[in-house]
Amino acid sequence: METSEQLMSIGAFARASRLSPKALRLYDELGLLPPARVDPGNGYRMYAPGQLETARLVAWLRRLGMPLARIREVCALREADASAAAGEVRAYWAQVEAETAVRRDLAAFLVDHLSRKDATAMSATTPSGTGGAAGRRPGDGPLAIRYAALSDTGLVRDRNQDAAYAGARLLAVADGFGTGGAAAAAGAIDALRPLESEGASAGVPAGDLLNVLRDAVDRAGDAVPDAGSGTTLTAMLWTGSQLALVHIGDSRAYLLRDGELFLITHDHTYVQSLVDEGRLTAEEAASHPQRALLVRALSQGPGNGAGAEVRLQDARSGDRYLLCSDGLSAVVDPDAVRRVVASAPDPDVAVRELVALAHESGGPDNVSCVVADVVAAAA
Ligand code: MG
């Protein structure tokens, strides 16, 4: 034990650590940095000089914006294993960057919407592109979509808890889980159906499209029948020149453009978060026993759609979109998926061939596919 002569008063310790006495009292109450000794008579907190390093670490981690509970973990880890503490900071920062990326997409969406309104008001010129949400290319006339959807039980499960939908404006796949999974998936898509009507998306004022989608996703969450169930939802809304994307969970959206198939959604899974944090490779993730564990999905409760990502995709004539549940993407080799998507003559053939691929791979899960082509609108 240190003797009281070696201990510092809270004021001296605060000056040396550059933390305020108020912060030090809070960190004590939270068990983050308990004083070396509390005087039983007057209750004064006394700190050991050896605690300065922890105090400085806490101060730095606060500057990073790390929550106190997580700082406590880092401090505890550091005592046992400094490299584990370093790994925890790295993981935290990867999470911050992933969240920032979602906010960046949201900002790009809003910038695009606002510029589009300007551009429409001023002239018929193509608005400048922002964050991958560029406008229609000059020369593209009016566009339309051709689409097909297919949902299949697969060869192993006894019922289908997926749902798929394709209409003139709305494309959606949902993959339900839990005892009420089928109702959750179907209900989520039903909640988006009102967007099928022309007025719901066409000519929506700048920025409002975002709210329309958010409201729809919140309604979709309300459709989840019980606390143990939920669903993924990946949907696109055709506005006549663009596709607005909403996404939560591990169903996926891909874009085939110029012969290349691009994954345009991010899996909200535990293993993907480990990949993002650099703790797992993509190859390891593909065979991880917990690869289906979702970190975000639509579940019961108000505002549960808050974890959904919303983004705007520019549409080009010749683009082909694929929306699918993990019964395709986690089961079929990505090259085989790309070959079918690139070569199928129309969306109807594409969805049937994709489901057939899942069957050839054993059909272990429900499988749902929506394929939509962006085409020149018939005159
Ligand atoms: Mg599934």
Side-chain angles (χ1 to χ4, degrees):
M1 279 308 277
E2 313 209 31
T3 63
S4 59
E5 298 90 84
Q6 291 173 301
L7 297 182
M8 302 165 79
S9 71
I10 192 169
F13 192 76
R15 282 189 295 280
S17 64
R18 302 192 178 196
L19 288 163
S20 70
K22 188 178 163 196
L24 288 172
R25 284 192 290 271
L26 174 67
Y27 298 165
D28 176 17
E29 283 157 20
L30 295 170
L32 202 55
L33 186 60
R37 180 168 177 269
V38 178
D39 189 302
N42 54 25
Y44 287 169
R45 292 167 167 89
M46 306 295 286
Y47 291 84
Q51 291 184 287
L52 271 173
E53 201 183 330
T54 303
R56 290 188 185 116
L57 177 62
V58 169
W60 288 327
L61 293 174
R62 289 298 286 161
R63 286 189 66 183
L64 268 188
M66 187 181 279
L68 291 170
R70 196 138 183 193
I71 292 178
R72 186 164 53 221
E73 283 172 32
V74 173
C75 291
L77 279 174
R78 181 176 140 263
E79 283 171 19
D81 178 359
S83 70
E88 192 58 29
V89 175
R90 193 181 306 118
Y92 166 72
W93 194 248
Q95 184 194 338
V96 169
E97 289 191 329
E99 285 165 3
T100 303
V102 171
R103 293 170 62 208
R104 181 194 59 218
D105 288 347
L106 184 56
F109 179 102
L110 290 171
V111 167
D112 184 71
H113 248 294
L114 295 167
S115 343
R116 208 164 286 269
K117 188 184 183 185
D118 263 8
T120 313
M122 291 184 311
S123 73
T125 55
T126 306
S128 59
T130 46
R136 225 159 61 199
R137 288 181 304 184
D140 271 0
L143 298 173
I145 54 170
R146 286 187 311 184
Y147 46 85
L150 187 59
S151 185
D152 183 271
T153 307
L155 303 177
V156 174
R157 304 272 171 100
D158 55 9
R159 58 196 180 125
N160 191 356
Q161 293 200 304
D162 277 8
Y165 177 85
R169 313 190 73 85
L170 180 68
L171 312 166
V173 295
D175 179 349
F177 56 86
T179 51
I189 291 182
D190 278 347
L192 265 58
R193 292 272 192 112
L195 302 179
E196 267 289 12
S197 60
E198 174 89 10
S201 56
V204 167
D208 281 6
L209 188 58
L210 184 64
N211 294 341
V212 167
L213 284 168
R214 279 248 173 263
D215 289 350
V217 172
D218 275 341
R219 284 199 305 274
D222 293 342
V224 176
D226 62 84
S229 303
T231 184
T232 71
L233 180 64
T234 300
M236 299 190 91
L237 183 63
W238 172 243
T239 68
S241 58
Q242 295 168 293
L243 286 147
L245 169 75
V246 259
H247 167 69
I248 185 165
D250 69 346
S251 296
R252 289 181 166 184
Y254 293 87
L255 165 63
L256 180 82
R257 181 177 281 178
D258 302 328
E260 262 201 89
L261 191 65
F262 302 94
L263 175 64
I264 60 170
T265 51
H266 194 79
D267 291 351
H268 297 145
T269 55
Y270 170 66
V271 291
Q272 183 60 48
S273 66
L274 294 182
V275 172
D276 295 343
E277 290 169 5
R279 298 181 188 202
L280 208 64
T281 66
E283 293 71 34
E284 288 164 342
S287 58
H288 196 282
Q290 285 179 294
R291 62 189 175 278
L293 186 64
L294 296 176
V295 291
R296 283 193 232 168
L298 284 178
S299 52
Q300 261 188 349
N304 65 58
E309 292 174 36
V310 184
R311 201 172 67 233
L312 205 57
Q313 278 289 129
D314 65 311
R316 286 190 196 169
S317 182
D319 283 347
R320 173 171 279 179
Y321 285 91
L322 164 66
L323 275 54
C324 67
S325 63
D326 67 340
L328 181 77
S329 53
V331 169
V332 177
D333 174 60
D335 282 336
V337 172
R338 192 198 64 77
R339 274 195 301 275
V340 164
V341 175
S343 65
D346 61 57
D348 208 50
V349 172
V351 294
R352 280 187 279 126
E353 288 188 353
L354 288 167
V355 169
L357 278 182
H359 284 196
E360 283 165 28
S361 302
D365 194 3
N366 306 147
V367 54
S368 295
C369 301
V370 169
V371 170
D373 287 348
V374 178
V375 297

